[in-house]
Amino acid sequence: MAFMISQRAFIKIYLITMVERHRGYGYQMLESMKDEFSGFGYVPPQSEVYRALHELVQEGVFYRTKRLKGTDPRVDFQEIVLYHFTDDGEEKARLYKKQVKADLDRCLGMLHKAEQDNYS
C-alpha cells in the first residue's frame, strides 16, 4: 500500500467530477485545477493531467469528441477535445471514486494523527 494517495489518482477524481459537471475540455480542466489548488501551493503538471485523461479513455471511463472551439467555422480553427462518459463509464467512475475515497480517508487519518502527535 502506498504511503499517501498518488498524484494521478488525485487528478483523476477531479477530472471525473469535472466531466460529471460538464466542465470543458482538457486545457480548461487543467486551468481550473491550477486555480483551485494555487492557495495550497500545488500546480498539477500539464503532462499528468493529460496522462490521466488518456488513462481514463483507455480504461473505458471516457470517450473523446472533437469540435471547433468557437462558433464560426470560417474564423475559429482551433479544435478542442471534449470528454464524455462511455455507456458504463459513470459506473466505472463511481467505483473508482469510491476506491480513492477509502485511500483519502486513510491518508487524512494519518495526517491528523501526525498533527496531533507532533504539534499538540
Side-chain angles (χ1 to χ4, degrees):
M1 183 173 290
F3 177 63
M4 291 286 163
I5 185 173
S6 76
Q7 176 176 240
R8 182 91 38 93
F10 182 82
I11 290 171
K12 280 182 173 182
I13 61 171
Y14 274 90
L15 295 173
I16 288 169
T17 299
M18 286 184 223
V19 170
E20 287 171 344
R21 296 177 181 165
H22 307 287
R23 292 280 247 355
Y25 51 94
Y27 184 75
Q28 276 184 324
M29 293 179 196
L30 170 66
E31 291 301 310
S32 176
M33 287 183 71
K34 284 181 180 178
D35 290 344
E36 291 270 336
F37 296 104
S38 64
F40 299 100
Y42 174 66
V43 178
Q46 180 175 342
S47 60
E48 283 299 309
V49 170
Y50 284 104
R51 280 187 190 114
L53 284 167
H54 183 72
E55 282 182 10
L56 289 165
V57 169
Q58 283 185 320
E59 293 163 358
V61 177
F62 294 161
Y63 72 93
R64 303 163 21 138
T65 60
K66 294 181 180 182
R67 74 167 174 85
L68 294 177
K69 186 175 182 181
T71 57
D72 186 350
R74 295 171 296 171
V75 292
D76 297 319
F77 298 111
Q78 184 179 5
E79 193 171 66
I80 59 174
V81 175
L82 299 170
Y83 293 87
H84 316 272
F85 286 112
T86 61
D87 289 340
D88 61 346
E90 288 183 77
E91 178 64 17
K92 289 179 180 180
R94 187 185 66 71
L95 292 172
Y96 183 76
K97 285 177 74 173
K98 184 177 179 180
Q99 173 189 344
V100 172
K101 173 74 167 100
D103 286 343
L104 281 172
D105 289 342
R106 181 183 58 80
C107 293
L108 285 170
M110 289 174 59
L111 291 170
H112 289 304
K113 178 172 176 30
E115 182 181 42
Q116 288 173 347
D117 291 350
N118 297 289
Y119 298 99
S120 298

